[in-house]
Amino acid sequence: MKKIKAIISGGGTGGHIFPALSIAGKLMEMNPENEILFVGANGRMEMEKVPAAGYSIIGLDIQGFQRKNLLKNLTLPYKLWKSLRKSRRIIREFQPDIAIGVGGYASAALLMAATQMKIPTLIQEQNGFAGLTNKLLGKKADKICVAYEGMDRFFPADKIIFTGNPIRSDMIPATPESRQEACEYYGLSPERKKILIVGGSLGSRTLNEAVLAWLEEGCQGNEEVEILWQCGKFYKNEIEQKMQQYEDMPWRKFIHFTDFIGRMDLAYAMADVVISRSGACSVSEICACAKASILVPSPNVTEDHQTFNAMALVKNGAAQLIRDNEAVEKLMRATLGLVNQEEKIKEMERNALLLARPDAAQTIAQEAYKLMEKK
């Protein structure tokens, strides 16, 4: 394949960053001489995760629109102007063949600058309800890669390509060997049923409160389960303090919590049931790993798009849904009810795998090449 130079822009959460890294990985597989530069937002997690993956990144001083504190938006026009100016400088210096946006604050400025400078642009929209940034960018983008049907509600139909969401290459269905490796890696009991709890890369207060409420009520139904719980870095200290009161309980050694799970491939491999928010990246990984799941859509997202994501699985018998405002009362009870239904779990796993699009990153990378060659 011909060598290309690509800028990949966006971030803010793992749901944007991991797809971006997957696309970058496929581009490098297609030609190891390809040059890739990331552009993110200063102070956001991409500034740490992208260099850790071996790529260069430049940060913009940009923020999103603050709906809860309108006063914080007073500096937004200046920050956008400043980021546009810096984006144009980045493009002049790097001379990319294509600019790819994955959503998030930084992609707005970078792709706006790219279209103004006649650089081919491709957008990757992860959710079933398009975000404001991508809706605005979609009017001038050359191609728009989507993961859900019906996205012509938001974008010009002739620009849309159905690709699915890019995920990490190690997200595959578990084998007996990978499940054993996972148990050894995390120090888990092979005999017990396993529940994985993930609230996104930053954690989820609702999921944490649901687990804590279950523990406070006596941890009923714990006799046959073991839990791996990603509580998030913002909540780690709080969880540690609350868990200290249970140190002498016999079930305490079967409740494992951490702020961040690095080996998600092994975490999925060991799980019988996954409890998760329904961000696009999480939903795509659950399907690719063929996991039964109980999804709790976050209410703190634009246009309630996580409910839309979750319902794509629920309607196909691949997941169960519990509303955020009901999670503290119902979540753990529903999970413990499901974890011992082996036939139901197998059915949900089969249905989830049917929805998987493991080749999404490859397809998007190929579309980037086509677009560049066409231009």
Side-chain angles (χ1 to χ4, degrees):
M1 301 289 284
K2 179 182 176 182
K3 175 185 174 180
I4 67 170
K5 298 174 73 174
I7 290 181
I8 302 179
S9 181
T13 67
H16 293 309
I17 297 165
F18 296 130
L21 290 172
S22 296
I23 296 169
K26 287 299 177 183
L27 287 172
M28 294 307 295
E29 284 181 18
M30 294 168 81
N31 187 339
E33 294 185 358
N34 285 343
E35 295 181 42
I36 297 174
L37 174 67
F38 281 78
V39 174
N42 283 325
R44 305 293 288 183
M45 66 184 295
E46 60 264 28
M47 303 307 292
E48 174 188 347
K49 299 297 181 185
V50 170
Y55 298 98
S56 298
I57 186 168
I58 298 174
L60 303 177
D61 291 322
I62 187 67
Q63 68 179 51
F65 184 79
Q66 304 294 313
R67 291 177 174 82
K68 294 183 178 180
N69 190 338
L70 295 179
L71 289 176
K72 289 186 177 181
N73 296 313
L74 293 175
T75 60
L76 186 56
Y78 171 72
K79 288 184 176 180
L80 179 58
W81 172 80
K82 184 179 176 183
S83 294
L84 278 168
R85 188 175 65 172
K86 186 172 182 178
S87 294
R88 285 191 284 267
R89 185 169 70 249
I90 292 169
I91 291 170
R92 282 194 299 269
E93 293 175 356
F94 186 67
Q95 292 290 307
D97 298 299
I98 189 168
I100 300 172
V102 296
Y105 311 147
S107 66
L110 192 285
L111 264 73
M112 286 172 66
T115 55
Q116 291 169 1
M117 299 172 74
K118 309 302 181 184
I119 304 298
T121 56
L122 180 150
I123 293 172
Q124 197 269 316
E125 172 57 60
Q126 293 105 20
N127 294 293
F129 204 103
L132 177 61
T133 297
N134 276 352
K135 281 192 282 188
L136 293 173
L137 294 172
K139 296 175 182 178
K140 294 189 176 181
D142 295 291
K143 288 293 180 182
I144 303 159
C145 298
V146 303
Y148 293 90
E149 302 288 353
M151 297 302 286
D152 52 358
R153 294 175 296 159
F154 310 108
F155 304 118
D158 60 336
K159 296 182 179 182
I160 293 174
I161 303 169
F162 185 83
T163 60
N165 277 323
I167 57 172
R168 291 168 278 194
S169 59
D170 54 3
M171 295 295 145
I172 58 175
T175 63
E177 292 76 18
S178 65
R179 186 176 174 90
Q180 180 180 348
E181 181 186 357
C183 289
E184 292 173 356
Y185 183 85
Y186 288 110
L188 308 179
S189 168
E191 292 79 23
R192 287 188 167 235
K193 299 289 185 181
K194 311 292 190 306
I195 299 170
L196 171 65
I197 303 173
V198 280
S201 54
L202 302 178
S204 162
R205 179 170 291 279
T206 295
L207 299 191
N208 291 343
E209 289 178 347
V211 178
L212 290 172
W214 173 60
L215 298 179
E216 290 170 6
E217 291 170 1
C219 196
Q220 297 178 4
N222 70 82
E223 295 83 3
E224 298 181 2
V225 301
E226 192 158 13
I227 293 175
L228 179 60
W229 171 18
Q230 179 179 277
C231 63
K233 66 178 182 179
F234 295 135
Y235 307 107
K236 177 74 179 299
N237 291 339
E238 176 186 346
I239 301 298
E240 280 183 337
Q241 292 175 7
K242 292 190 175 181
M243 291 297 289
Q244 287 177 359
Q245 63 184 303
Y246 304 119
E247 287 300 321
D248 296 331
M249 296 293 182
W251 45 260
R252 172 63 186 86
K253 63 182 179 179
F254 298 115
I255 312 291
H256 311 269
F257 67 93
T258 181
D259 57 340
F260 185 79
I261 296 175
R263 289 295 305 273
M264 281 302 299
D265 57 325
L266 295 181
Y268 281 122
M270 66 89 199
D272 294 288
V273 175
V274 177
I275 295 173
S276 178
R277 286 300 201 189
S278 48
C281 186
S282 297
V283 167
S284 297
E285 290 185 349
I286 286 168
C287 290
C289 293
K291 288 299 169 181
S293 61
I294 296 183
L295 302 175
V296 185
S298 170
N300 305 312
V301 294
T302 307
E303 303 290 352
D304 196 28
H305 67 252
Q306 285 205 7
T307 296
F308 192 99
N309 296 346
M311 288 306 299
L313 273 65
V314 173
K315 290 176 181 177
N316 287 281
Q320 296 178 8
L321 184 149
I322 291 182
R323 298 288 178 184
D324 185 87
N325 60 3
E326 299 177 330
V328 172
E329 177 186 355
K330 297 181 178 181
L331 180 58
M332 293 306 297
R333 189 189 318 152
T335 306
L336 293 166
L338 175 62
V339 77
N340 288 310
Q341 297 184 50
E342 292 188 8
E343 289 305 314
K344 178 66 175 176
I345 287 175
K346 289 179 181 177
E347 178 187 355
M348 294 172 74
E349 290 173 344
R350 288 193 295 269
N351 292 337
L353 190 57
L354 290 173
L355 298 173
R357 300 279 298 196
D359 59 346
Q362 178 74 27
T363 304
I364 293 169
Q366 290 171 344
E367 290 298 330
Y369 259 95
K370 291 179 186 177
L371 181 57
M372 182 201 69
E373 291 168 355
K374 182 179 178 182
K375 286 285 182 177

